[in-house]
Amino acid sequence: VTVKYQDEEGNELSASDTLNGKVGLPYESEAKSINGWTVKTRPSNATGTFTEEAQEVVYVYERTEAAPVTVKYQDEEGNELSASDTLNGKVGLPYESEAKSINGWTVKTRPSNATGTFTEEAQEVVYVYERTEAAPVTVKYQDEEGNELSASDTLNGKVGLPYESEAKSINGWTVKTRPSNATGTFTEEAQEVVYVYSRKTDQKIDNKTSHNDKGASSSSKHNLPATGENGRWTIISVGTGLILLMIALTASIFRFKKFKNNK
């Protein structure tokens, strides 16, 4: 009696055994323990009687359910970035895992057992990720009309990590409003942080004072006679004096001649 151990496709899983005995006496066969396989069906002639004809007893096996393969997705510190996946299959059959697409993260290293074979022992496949390079954060410094007061700054970092901006000290200007996104988180999209400035109050006061001084000077100029006007009055006065002097001289000459003629 030949005892065979085969899979469902008839492939031999282990060497056959041969049972010998006398015609009419009973025989008894047993299934073999084969790693990764379990008996699917017990043959009807597993036990029987020896005869003059050769007999076959065939044990058919199927693969044993394997222990699960757990696929993990972690950062470099071992923190879980996404829920694990579980792969199930039969012992000896191949498995294949894949990295997940996780927003803001990229695979740093592909595990050596990303593909493998199911076994009776549980297995872990760990994908390690690092943060993706983020789009830049541009920090601008403008007046209330949107004019640039100082060169912009650029902040760079990894997606998901925090950024922090600061207002610049700009001579003659003070920050009017602190932007709501002065601090935030780097993302895959470019961001802008805009600090809006207004002129310092003390400069406004100085400007007003300067204007007032100019006004006062103008008033003083209006109150004082113009240089041209003074010149005209001087000329008139001198001219009048000369005319009177000439009249007086003429009168004196006339009286002198009259006096001489009378003599």
Side-chain angles (χ1 to χ4, degrees):
V1 176
T2 304
V3 185
K4 295 184 175 182
Y5 313 95
Q6 300 174 350
D7 63 15
E8 295 169 279
E9 284 75 44
N11 300 306
E12 186 178 74
L13 301 176
S14 182
S16 301
D17 290 324
T18 302
L19 305 179
N20 295 299
K22 301 287 188 179
V23 172
L25 293 180
Y27 69 83
E28 184 175 352
S29 66
E30 289 185 358
K32 269 189 181 178
S33 176
I34 303 174
N35 190 33
W37 296 85
T38 184
V39 175
K40 183 178 182 181
T41 53
R42 181 179 172 83
S44 58
N45 64 341
T47 59
T49 304
F50 286 106
T51 64
E52 293 178 345
E53 301 296 325
Q55 302 177 70
E56 280 189 354
V57 175
V58 181
Y59 285 89
V60 177
Y61 291 73
E62 63 180 351
R63 291 185 182 275
T64 306
E65 285 294 331
V69 175
T70 305
V71 187
K72 296 184 174 182
Y73 313 94
Q74 300 176 348
D75 64 16
E76 294 170 279
E77 285 73 46
N79 300 306
E80 185 178 75
L81 302 175
S82 182
S84 299
D85 290 321
T86 302
L87 306 179
N88 293 301
K90 303 283 189 176
V91 171
L93 292 182
Y95 71 78
E96 185 174 353
S97 66
E98 290 184 359
K100 269 189 182 178
S101 176
I102 302 175
N103 190 34
W105 296 84
T106 185
V107 176
K108 183 179 182 180
T109 52
R110 180 179 171 84
S112 58
N113 64 339
T115 59
T117 304
F118 286 105
T119 66
E120 293 180 340
E121 301 296 324
Q123 301 177 72
E124 279 191 356
V125 176
V126 181
Y127 285 90
V128 177
Y129 291 72
E130 62 182 350
R131 290 184 183 275
T132 306
E133 285 293 332
V137 176
T138 304
V139 187
K140 296 185 174 182
Y141 313 95
Q142 300 176 349
D143 64 15
E144 294 169 278
E145 284 73 45
N147 300 307
E148 186 178 77
L149 301 176
S150 182
S152 300
D153 290 321
T154 302
L155 306 179
N156 294 301
K158 302 280 190 178
V159 172
L161 292 181
Y163 71 79
E164 184 173 353
S165 66
E166 288 184 1
K168 270 188 184 178
S169 177
I170 303 175
N171 189 33
W173 296 83
T174 184
V175 177
K176 182 179 181 182
T177 53
R178 179 179 170 84
S180 58
N181 64 339
T183 59
T185 303
F186 285 105
T187 66
E188 293 179 340
E189 301 297 322
Q191 302 177 71
E192 279 191 356
V193 176
V194 181
Y195 285 90
V196 178
Y197 291 73
S198 59
R199 290 189 180 275
K200 286 187 178 177
T201 306
D202 56 350
Q203 280 206 339
K204 290 181 179 178
I205 293 173
D206 290 344
N207 289 337
K208 287 182 180 178
T209 305
S210 176
H211 289 311
N212 289 339
D213 290 344
K214 288 178 182 177
S217 298
S218 298
S219 299
S220 299
K221 286 181 181 178
H222 287 304
N223 292 333
L224 292 173
T227 303
E229 187 178 348
N230 288 339
R232 285 196 299 275
W233 281 107
T234 301
I235 293 169
I236 292 170
S237 298
V238 172
T240 303
L242 289 173
I243 291 170
L244 291 174
L245 180 60
M246 289 177 68
I247 291 171
L249 287 172
T250 303
S252 296
I253 293 169
F254 179 77
R255 283 196 299 273
F256 176 74
K257 286 182 177 180
K258 186 178 180 182
F259 176 74
K260 188 177 181 180
N261 292 331
N262 288 336
K263 281 184 173 186

